[in-house]
Amino acid sequence: MSRWGFFITFEGVEGCGKSTLAWKLYDYLKSEGFSVVFTREPGGPPVAEDIRDVLLRPDRKLEPWTEVFLLLAARHENVKKVIYPALTNSSIVISDRYDDSTFAYQCYGRGLPYKIVSRFNKFATMRIKPNLTFLIDLPVEKGLERIGAGNMDRMEQEAIEFHRKVREGYLKLARRAKKRFYVLDGLKTPEELFEQVKQVTIERLKQKGPIGRFKGKA
Ligand code: TMP
């Protein structure tokens, strides 16, 4: 029987550069012969991508709980169809956002109760938690500036105060789970950030056991 793989997530406020970093890590690990699967949230499998479109349409307004249930529905699809199968196959899974986004955006940002959201989230995720989470921390003004006012989706269009609460929320989550989180300074250059991401990932994979067992399974 295959051993459980390794689950890496990337988190942060809008425009922090996490998607570029996540893809760079994917390309690097692939080129080194690792078996690696990339996904994102909300999104991943087709139904979850459809839900993403509903969630991010700038011309729609959603009730806070509707938003949570849609996010969790998309997450469950992603966990059942992509994340769980890959982890049971000893692969490395990289996800551009996962459940910390829900705690940061819906709990700290929107003010929904952490305990209840966390309980629903356990059903959505089948209690699968990341082994390692990179949080790219950045002043929210910087990130929104990078996106530019003309291209904003429903979440990005939220007031600056909302985004500040999300950033603070992320930092609180990171303080509560110090072993799992690795916080990066989003003001550093993409090259510096990637070097750190690469080093930390390899270190953590080694801690998990013989590194070769994550290779050549895809
Ligand atoms: P992104 O993938 O381009 O970062 O966009 C996803 C958006 O969805 C982003 O604004 C954060 C938001 N989001 C939540 O509010 N809660 C969640 O649980 C997830 C996964 C994303």
Side-chain angles (χ1 to χ4, degrees):
M1 211 179 83
S2 291
R3 281 161 77 185
W4 193 248
F6 195 81
F7 186 18
I8 304 170
T9 56
F10 283 79
E11 297 280 358
V13 295
E14 313 299 330
C16 68
K18 63 179 174 40
S19 308
T20 313
L21 270 178
W23 273 113
K24 271 181 120 173
L25 181 64
Y26 172 84
D27 290 340
Y28 166 74
L29 292 172
K30 265 242 146 311
S31 72
E32 291 289 309
F34 288 96
S35 162
V36 44
V37 170
F38 190 96
T39 190
R40 68 169 178 178
E41 294 217 343
V47 172
E49 286 290 330
D50 293 344
I51 298 174
R52 178 187 176 93
D53 292 342
V54 174
L55 275 160
L56 297 185
R57 272 182 68 156
D59 58 337
R60 290 281 187 265
K61 284 214 173 334
L62 293 177
E63 293 299 323
W65 280 108
T66 307
E67 189 174 87
V68 169
F69 291 130
L70 286 172
L71 284 161
L72 296 185
R75 179 160 306 138
H76 191 62
E77 280 294 305
N78 199 19
V79 167
K80 292 283 284 207
K81 297 196 169 129
V82 177
I83 297 172
Y84 179 77
L87 290 172
T88 53
N89 188 37
S90 303
S91 294
I92 298 169
V93 175
I94 298 176
S95 188
D96 180 355
R97 296 194 184 280
Y98 187 61
D99 60 357
D100 292 304
S101 283
T102 310
F103 301 128
Y105 280 78
Q106 280 64 49
C107 298
Y108 288 107
R110 300 249 188 259
L112 295 182
Y114 181 91
K115 269 194 176 168
I116 299 174
V117 172
S118 168
R119 206 175 298 160
F120 287 130
N121 183 58
K122 283 182 179 142
F123 288 99
T125 59
M126 297 163 39
R127 296 178 183 259
I128 294 173
K129 289 299 280 180
N131 298 95
L132 170 61
T133 297
F134 289 106
L135 169 60
I136 296 94
D137 181 49
L138 187 74
V140 296
E141 295 80 359
K142 278 266 173 218
L144 293 170
E145 204 180 284
R146 285 180 189 169
I147 295 166
N151 302 314
M152 290 189 167
D153 63 33
R154 193 178 60 85
M155 300 299 290
E156 290 160 352
Q157 283 175 356
E158 286 288 340
I160 193 96
E161 263 319 305
F162 172 82
H163 294 293
R164 288 201 182 109
K165 285 189 213 163
V166 171
R167 182 187 184 196
E168 284 312 307
Y170 268 131
L171 291 170
K172 279 185 198 156
L173 291 167
R175 282 196 290 272
R176 269 204 252 155
K178 287 202 180 86
K179 277 197 184 150
R180 174 168 66 85
F181 271 92
Y182 190 92
V183 183
L184 296 152
D185 176 359
L187 290 172
K188 289 193 174 164
T189 66
E191 292 74 28
E192 284 173 316
L193 288 171
F194 181 60
E195 229 10 77
Q196 257 180 298
V197 163
K198 205 165 88 178
Q199 274 179 22
V200 172
T201 301
I202 296 297
E203 242 168 62
R204 297 287 176 98
L205 284 173
K206 282 184 182 156
Q207 282 167 13
K208 253 232 135 185
I211 202 160
R213 78 182 173 83
F214 299 107
K215 291 198 175 186
K217 295 224 164 47

